Amino acid sequence: MGDRGNILYLVVPCYNEEEVLEHTAQVMREKLRRLEEAGKISFKSKIMFVNDGSKDGTWRIISGLCQKDAVFSGICFSRNYGHQSAILSGMLEAAKHADMVVTVDADLQQDIEALDKFIACYESGCEIVYGVRNSRDTDGFFKKMTATGFYKVMGLLGCNVMQNHADYRLLSKAALQALTEYKEVNLFLRGLIPTMGFPSDVVYFDVKKREAGHSKYTLKKMVSLAIDGITSMSTRPLRMITLLGFLVSMFSLVMIIICLADWLTGKNVPGYTTTLVVSLLTGGLTIFSLGVVGEYVGKIYLETKARPRYIIEAMIWKEEEE
Ligand code: UDP
Ligand code: MG
């Protein structure tokens, strides 16, 4: 095992997960116990739930679990800040005690048995281990299409995210330490973490159906994650606008020359359609471009305000009594 510690923290973001949480907790507890008994992780390992402003009984369940068993610990946000903020806060809190942290969804879709492989990679010297799903068979048609489209668009727009890697990943103490240096408000961990470097590896796992409840990633949340991902990782859309502007200008120049030539030779017929099409097109492109620039200006606005990325309302963490 080398000289690296082996306290593992599982960080689990939860948003309205009351239907699945008790079961998840039990399965994760059992897995941790097996890993502890096999000597792979320390008995000080914990499961840390982050309640991302749930409107249902999620926090009640989490605090109940924490009362019964010190292996559980919980963070409660003051409101819904989103999946990315939830896992970030979990990781930063866990980093205070853990040698390695694995972030995993509350719905048990990501095969918890893959933990052995994550830990093996860590022991062989990896600081970051990325979980990559084997297939998308369990996803519905809509989810499959949107997810695949998302990765395609991201790649085109200059943000190279790992295909089919969600947020099931292990970070070591060193990687977590590096992560604390990133102060940005606009967070897209999937894009950010690979830019940190470090010896890393990939673990493949199977995706299962959601154990209970329904997806908490609404279309609105997905679109917003995609836009945040692109604008936080790449300025290529701005470059594309410049290029587009240049092309339109060139086209206009040619048009002007043609018009002048027609005028000089006395052939200037009234071109109603051309005028309308050109002005509508350029009008549309201008507004769209302003919108894209606006996205970036908005991001700068939020970054300069540097508001807290989340507010923790309550936290439960107990020393293991042994
Ligand atoms: N989640 C969260 N905040 C949100 C939305 C989702 O913490 O605003 C959590 C959710 O509880 C789950 C994980 O993020 O643990 C992934 O969400 P979900 O399983 O609903 O997404 P899907 O698997 O459908 O992409
Ligand atoms: Mg899920």
Side-chain angles (χ1 to χ4, degrees):
M1 196 190 312
D3 48 5
R4 300 217 280 176
N6 61 349
I7 303 178
L8 169 72
Y9 270 46
L10 286 181
V11 165
V12 189
C14 311
Y15 177 55
N16 296 343
E17 299 286 10
E18 65 178 4
E19 286 151 294
V20 73
L21 206 54
E22 298 269 10
H23 177 62
T24 299
Q26 189 205 328
V27 171
M28 288 182 178
R29 174 77 196 96
E30 192 45 46
K31 179 65 191 169
L32 229 58
R33 184 172 287 134
R34 272 184 281 135
L35 286 168
E36 286 169 357
E37 276 158 12
K40 289 192 174 163
I41 58 169
S42 155
F43 283 94
K44 288 184 181 149
S45 300
K46 279 188 194 295
I47 300 164
M48 187 175 259
F49 293 109
V50 184
N51 172 34
D52 182 14
S54 301
K55 291 175 185 65
D56 64 2
T58 298
W59 180 245
R60 190 175 30 78
I61 296 175
I62 294 173
S63 23
L65 288 164
C66 295
Q67 296 315 323
K68 270 186 275 166
D69 191 342
V71 77
F72 296 112
S73 101
I75 296 174
C76 184
F77 278 2
S78 59
R79 65 162 164 91
N80 180 242
Y81 279 94
H83 179 221
Q84 298 288 298
S85 300
I87 52 183
L88 178 76
S89 90
M91 287 193 292
L92 297 184
E93 282 306 321
K96 296 175 185 166
H97 315 281
D99 299 306
M100 50 180 150
V101 169
V102 174
T103 46
V104 57
D105 287 351
D107 55 12
L108 293 178
Q109 281 192 283
Q110 298 159 329
D111 186 11
I112 201 81
E113 294 304 320
L115 274 180
D116 300 70
K117 291 192 265 177
F118 278 96
I119 294 164
C121 289
Y122 169 80
E123 284 178 359
S124 68
C126 287
E127 305 289 348
I128 304 177
V129 188
Y130 300 96
V132 172
R133 53 194 294 167
N134 279 325
S135 78
R136 289 200 167 265
D137 294 343
T138 47
D139 279 350
F141 176 73
F142 182 69
K143 183 92 187 179
K144 215 182 289 185
M145 290 296 289
T146 47
T148 316
F150 171 71
Y151 289 111
K152 285 246 165 64
V153 172
M154 290 295 281
L156 279 177
L157 294 180
C159 173
N160 286 318
V161 283
M162 208 172 286
Q163 277 276 340
N164 289 339
H165 161 64
D167 287 293
Y168 190 18
R169 89 170 78 68
L170 178 146
L171 293 188
S172 71
K173 216 180 183 75
L176 289 166
Q177 189 51 46
L179 189 64
T180 60
E181 301 299 321
Y182 290 78
K183 308 291 185 199
E184 57 210 81
V185 177
N186 184 35
L187 258 198
F188 184 65
L189 293 165
R190 261 172 250 184
L192 186 69
I193 290 175
T195 65
M196 299 200 307
F198 285 117
S200 49
D201 207 344
V202 168
V203 157
Y204 292 91
F205 66 94
D206 291 322
V207 180
K208 290 179 263 179
K209 281 232 183 311
R210 211 177 211 285
E211 295 270 332
H214 55 88
S215 175
K216 304 301 179 302
Y217 255 96
T218 53
L219 183 62
K220 192 171 150 226
K221 276 189 203 278
M222 277 199 282
V223 170
S224 133
L225 181 72
I227 294 178
D228 282 352
I230 294 161
T231 53
S232 74
M233 295 307 297
S234 153
T235 49
R236 195 175 284 181
L238 293 176
R239 177 69 52 83
M240 288 164 113
I241 286 179
T242 313
L243 200 69
L244 189 72
F246 178 74
L247 291 177
V248 173
S249 307
M250 283 297 118
F251 176 72
S252 311
L253 201 66
V254 174
M255 288 301 281
I256 289 170
I257 293 170
I258 293 174
C259 288
L260 278 179
D262 282 352
W263 179 67
L264 282 174
T265 53
K267 280 197 297 183
N268 52 338
V269 277
Y272 173 73
T273 317
T274 329
T275 321
L276 200 65
V277 165
V278 169
S279 67
L280 284 178
L281 191 70
T282 44
L285 285 177
T286 312
I287 295 170
F288 175 72
S289 307
L290 267 179
V292 176
V293 176
E295 278 290 328
Y296 284 92
V297 176
K299 290 282 139 62
I300 300 168
Y301 174 64
L302 292 177
E303 294 295 344
T304 50
K305 281 205 284 194
R307 285 187 175 170
R309 294 182 279 196
Y310 46 78
I311 295 172
I312 295 178
E313 188 184 301
M315 194 166 156
I316 312 176
W317 186 93
K318 285 198 230 149
E319 198 78 58
E320 200 81 50
E321 59 261 7
E322 264 180 86

